[in-house]
């Protein structure tokens, strides 16, 4: 039997972080602002997140699977605030790290360099690309819980997984703008939620919190909130309408 959706328990999905007008429901410990973001994965999303966070003032250390020498053109385009590295080095250099690789590559993400750090997880499950993963097919885990298990001492937060890569730098607006696009965050760690919400706001997005990670299926592929443009109110509705299995 399918679970979730209209008939299941109705939590007010999710907590509203639209603009800066609402106070987060959970009290998160204060965190300092990182200067350097490590990005593991330099494809559509990795390169676009790099463009966005560099424009917001961060430094970036970015990696792919083939080695830094293959990222010369991207780094030249990104400018002096970016450098290419191995995944290990990008993980070490980043005070916060973005993991944005195909799901089938999660096991190769270096663990030790990411220990204790906030890790933004953009990953989605495409069985056509990643192969069948029974626990996902049966609704027994989520993609972000898989990364959290792989990185047991990191603070994984699902982010940027339900926006087409091009929109990250184009569909942005200042806080408080009517019709501002909203993106979901989900984590087992309040400080990771706090960071992602703040980063979204800096880049031009509202945020809706669908924590903990065990609830992050609500924003996975083929759910109503997946890759559609939505405001915070619309995103909350779509999260509430999601079924546990698509
Ligand atoms: N495309 C979108 O609009 C979008 C939107 C939201 C979420 N996502 C999800 O975000 C993730 C990334 O998507 P994408 O579209 O950016 O993929 P992509 O364009 O195929 O890029 C994947 C990147 O990951 C790198 N990579 C693969 N294995 C690696 C490893 N073991 N270590 C380090 N880097 C590795 C690849 O490097 P090489 O090229 O050197 O192999 C490449 O730079 C996926 O899970 C995707 O489903 C995508």
């Amino acid at each position: 039997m399918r679970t979730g959706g209209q008939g299941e328990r109705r939590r007010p999905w999710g907590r509203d972080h639209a603009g800066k007008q609402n106070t987060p429901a959970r009290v998160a410990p204060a965190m300092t602002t990182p200067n350097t973001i490590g990005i593991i994965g330099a494809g559509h999303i990795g390169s676009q997140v790099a463009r966005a966070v560099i424009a917001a003032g961060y430094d970036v250390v970015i990696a792919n699977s083939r080695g830094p020498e293959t990222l010369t053109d991207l780094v030249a385009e990104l400018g002096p605030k970016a450098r290419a590295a191995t995944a290990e080095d990008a993980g070490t250099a980043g005070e916060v790290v973005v993991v944005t690789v195909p799901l089938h590559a999660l096991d190769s993400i270096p663990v030790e360099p990411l220990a204790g750090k906030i890790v933004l997880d953009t990953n989605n499950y495409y069985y056509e690309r990643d192969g069948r993963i029974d626990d996902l097919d049966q609704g027994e885990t989520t993609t972000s819980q898989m990364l959290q298990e792989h990185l047991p001492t990191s603070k994984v937060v699902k982010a940027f997984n339900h926006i087409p890569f091009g929109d990250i730098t184009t569909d942005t607006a200042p806080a408080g703008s009517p019709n501002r696009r909203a993106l979901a965050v989900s984590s087992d760690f309040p400080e990771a939620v706090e960071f992602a919400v703040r980063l979204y706001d800096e880049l031009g997005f509202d945020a809706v919190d669908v924590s903990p990670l065990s609830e992050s299926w609500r924003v996975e592929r083929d759910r109503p909130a997946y890759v559609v443009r939505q405001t915070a109110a619309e995103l909350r509705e779509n999260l509430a309408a999601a079924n546990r299995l698509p």
Side-chain angles (χ1 to χ4, degrees), residues 13-14 16-19 162 171 177-184 205-208 225 228-239:
W13 300 109
D16 193 349
H17 299 290
H162 67 116
D171 197 1
S177 302
N179 203 34
R180 195 188 200 203
R181 187 169 186 156
L183 299 176
F205 301 101
D206 285 342
V208 174
V228 294
R229 190 196 191 285
Q230 55 220 309
T231 62
E234 291 163 343
L235 176 51
R236 281 196 306 278
E237 281 175 21
N238 285 334
L239 293 168

Side-chain angles (χ1 to χ4, degrees), residues 5 10 32 55 67 75 98 104 113 119-120 128 135 167 169 175 186 196 223 229 231 235-236 243:
R10 300 296 299 236
T32 55
V75 166
V98 180
H104 64 73
V119 174
L120 278 71
E128 305 91 334
D135 284 353
D167 293 357
T169 54
S186 180
R223 279 25 176 251
R229 190 196 191 285
T231 62
L235 176 51
R236 281 196 306 278
N243 287 314

Side-chain angles (χ1 to χ4, degrees), residues 30-37 56-59 95-96 118 194-195 198-199 202:
M31 66 168 296
T32 55
T33 303
N35 293 315
T36 302
I37 298 185
Y58 295 91
D59 293 335
E95 295 155 87
V96 166
I118 292 171
E194 184 196 18
F195 174 77
R198 209 168 68 199
L199 182 65
E202 286 172 354

Side-chain angles (χ1 to χ4, degrees), residues 40-46 63-67 70 87 100-105 108-109 122-126 129 160-166 226-227:
I40 300 178
H44 294 99
I45 287 281
N64 64 5
S65 75
R66 286 165 293 150
T70 65
T100 182
V101 301
L103 191 67
H104 64 73
S108 66
I109 300 303
T122 81
N123 305 300
N124 291 308
Y125 172 42
Y126 281 83
R129 174 193 67 191
F160 296 110
N161 82 298
H162 67 116
I163 178 170
F165 69 96
Y226 191 66
V227 293

